Structures are given as C-alpha cells and as structure tokens.
Amino acid sequence: MTENAPWNPVVLFSKPEEERAGTPLLVLFHGYLANEEDLMGLAAYLPQEFTIASVRAPLALGPGFSWFPLMHEPDYSVDRVVNAVQDVSDWLDGIKEAHSSVTLLGFSMGMAVASTLMRHRPEEFAAVVGLSGFVVPAEGNGFFHDEELAELKVPFFWGRDQADPVIDAPRIEYTHAWLNGHTKLTKVLYAGMGHSINMQELGHVKEFLAHTVLGSR
C-alpha cells in the first residue's frame, strides 16, 4: 500500500484457480475488526455458480483488520476511504477479466467499501449487497461518480435490523436517502437480528443474486 508498490491483499477463494474462469465473481468485504475468514461461512448459503473472493482489509487493528478509521475518529477522512477502495479497485483490475461479471457484498464497514467501489466504477458491477452497513458522504471527492450511478441504477440489496445497535440513526437516514436516489434498491428489515446476519436474510440474498446476476447472464 505504497505509491510505488501495488497492494497484494490476503484473499480467500471458494473455488480453486482452475475452476474460476468464466464464473461470476462475488467479492466479500468484512466489517470492522474482522478478517477475510469472517464472511466465508456465507458461501455455503449463496448460489454455487459464483466464485466467492473474501478480501482482508489493509489496516491491522486489535483482533482483526479495518478498511479505514471509524467515522467519528479524528483521523477519519473521505481520502482514507478512497485510498483503501482504490487499492481494491486496482486489485480487481487484475482478476475481473477472467469472470463473466463482478458483484460486491459488504457487511457493516464492508458495505461502505462495496458501495464506494460501486460509486467509483458504476458500470462494472452487476449488483451490490449491503448487510447491516452504511454509505459514506462523498464530500465532493472526484472519486465518486454518483451522477453516473444514478442513471445506471445498479441493483442494490440492503438488509438490516431496524434496531441495529451499532449503526446510528444519522448514518441510516443518510444511507437510506442516498440508496433511494442512486440505486435500484431492495430494502428488507429483520427484527431481532441485531448487528449481524441471519438465515432469513441469507435466503433473500441468495434469491436476489440468482435473479439479478444469474438470471441476466
């Protein structure tokens, strides 16, 4: 993650390399203080046609990793988000041509990564799934191509608990308004789920991916 060296992330894949060519790619972005193993358990509940790639965030922190500082911390900035997502975008450039499509899925902070990547290159992604997460304000940063995205209306699944104890009300309100204005939004609430993922939600995500990505191939 230096100016001269490309980022070489730790990535877990659901299929061996010889079985990935021509498959749709689903990239997973974990939440704050987790790692690339955190979301790979979802693979068994998602359409098997996908090659799933779970990416480790770049910043070692506590028991896990973070994509950028938390939004209320003094060292948070949109530039920190952009730098992390630019590295992911550059990494994706090296593998996406082997796949029939690219779809993104992020949990919590990982939803901010997935949505920012979609906002940077809206035309490149078949769909995006955001679970118990949020989107970040662009603050005029040219990395975000939100006007282009608003025209394309990329399909976006957003699942969460109305009483999520982690994502605060202002971020939820901003995220809801932003997704309504820029994406083809499917929004589902799951009572009693908390800041997590449940089996009902996984079933809905599987249906969403099958319909929006596999059904259009």
Side-chain angles (χ1 to χ4, degrees):
M1 290 196 54
T2 68
E3 266 184 63
N4 301 318
W7 183 49
N8 187 27
V10 175
V11 184
L12 290 179
F13 285 93
S14 63
K15 298 181 188 294
E17 190 169 359
E18 63 272 15
E19 296 178 14
R20 298 175 200 162
T23 61
L25 179 67
L26 176 63
V27 186
L28 310 184
F29 303 102
H30 63 75
Y32 183 65
L33 302 186
N35 62 37
E36 71 284 359
E37 296 178 0
D38 186 55
L39 296 180
M40 277 306 282
L42 305 184
Y45 304 98
L46 300 175
Q48 297 305 297
E49 292 91 337
F50 284 94
T51 291
I52 296 175
S54 188
V55 186
R56 178 190 292 179
L59 305 174
L61 189 64
F65 298 84
S66 178
W67 295 98
F68 50 84
L70 295 173
M71 293 180 72
H72 64 267
E73 293 178 341
D75 52 348
Y76 170 83
S77 69
V78 175
D79 286 341
R80 294 291 297 268
V81 180
V82 165
N83 289 342
V85 175
Q86 181 65 68
D87 283 337
V88 174
S89 183
D90 292 344
W91 165 76
L92 261 179
D93 282 344
I95 66 169
K96 66 185 181 186
E97 297 304 325
H99 297 276
S100 58
S101 65
V102 181
T103 300
L104 309 173
L105 183 154
F107 173 76
S108 194
M109 180 185 277
M111 176 175 162
V113 175
S115 57
T116 299
L117 191 53
M118 170 188 67
R119 296 163 75 179
H120 180 50
R121 291 180 169 177
E123 74 287 351
E124 292 194 3
F125 303 108
V128 179
V129 175
L131 306 178
S132 301
F134 58 97
V135 302
V136 299
E139 299 179 13
N141 192 298
F143 188 81
F144 298 81
H145 299 151
D146 286 358
E147 289 185 10
E148 182 183 344
L149 176 62
E151 292 181 7
L152 289 172
K153 297 283 188 183
V154 173
F156 199 109
F157 180 97
W158 184 30
R160 66 182 186 89
D161 186 344
Q162 185 87 31
D164 187 319
V166 173
I167 311 301
D168 59 26
R171 278 190 292 176
I172 291 298
E173 291 169 10
Y174 178 85
T175 297
H176 191 192
W178 187 91
L179 288 171
N180 268 328
H182 294 86
T183 70
K184 183 180 179 182
L185 178 61
T186 299
K187 182 189 74 166
V188 187
L189 297 175
Y190 301 92
M193 184 173 69
H195 190 66
S196 63
I197 301 167
N198 68 19
M199 292 304 297
Q200 183 186 24
E201 184 177 40
L202 279 176
H204 290 154
V205 170
K206 183 176 182 178
E207 291 172 8
F208 173 81
L209 293 173
H211 177 70
T212 59
V213 181
L214 304 181
S216 60
R217 285 201 297 164

